[in-house]
Amino acid sequence: MSLTGMVYRPPYEANSLLLQVTQGCSHNKCTFCYMYPDVRFSVCPMEQVKADIEEATRYCPDVERVFLEHGDAFVLSADRLVQIADAIHDRLPRVKTIAMYASIQNIRHKTDEELRRLHACGIGGLDIGVESGLDAALQYMNKGHTSQEAREQLIRLTNAGIDYSFNAILGCGGAELWRENADATAALINAVQPHLLFIGTLHAQPGCKLYGDMKKGIFKECTYGQLLDEQERLISGLKLKDTIYFGSHPSNIVPMQAHLPEHKQEMIEVVREKREQLRCRLDAYPERGGEGSILNR
Ligand code: SF4
């Protein structure tokens, strides 16, 4: 089985079978993204996908979850996804869920009936980079969707029975709009009530537009203090009924995993404690390593 190019997957897909069905990302324009800069998007031939499934039957015949690669495999047509799902279930009968990265545009291009069909064949656990609820931030990050569009499409997904991770990025509004970013993102999350919230923090790696914009001062990143204030404001604004908060990404100043609503106050206290620990450095910018990891907590 071969996976071409850099392979990314969400941390909670560590035990899933990674099956490549596309190469690159069909959008490939997000301002902060450095994942597939030189990969021309293409769809893998069905014969290759079937050969990889066949190979998987030899070394992980009992696998229960498959994650389709690469950047936004949900861009494939509903017919192609059903074909892939059928091929998986045919040869790997214990598979319950077929997950993948998806964008808001990918959902928009499918009808309600198609979404229900995809749910019926085990497709779920979509990992969606919504990033923000603030249109100014979404526009600068070149996500290709507005906050209202995200709201409409995520509700369509829920109505079709497809669960997903809502991925949001602290710091998306930069130093000038961190309050607005926190408030608008909390409002969007509250409106769609995701069962999984994946929180990361904005960082730029060489090779993406954001890196150049930060160097030139076009985009002003948030300081430690602003990021902590934004995180507290976001958590304070959340009114969720049953959501896992997965915030263990190395880019976060305060890594945490929790469940909302019951852990809300505890989460706020943890952020406040970190602010107290960092009180001499609140105006400084986080030093970062690979994948935006905080080097000096
Ligand atoms: S949709 Fe995802 S993979 Fe594609 S450019 Fe944006 S962040 Fe990168």
Side-chain angles (χ1 to χ4, degrees), residues 25 28-30 32-33 35-36 143:
C25 165
N28 216 16
K29 286 191 269 209
C30 296
F32 57 85
C33 184
M35 289 163 82
Y36 308 105
K143 286 303 299 180

Side-chain angles (χ1 to χ4, degrees), residues 67-80:
F67 187 79
L68 303 183
E69 294 283 347
H70 266 166
D72 65 338
F74 202 62
V75 72
L76 293 176
S77 69
D79 285 346
R80 172 51 84 93

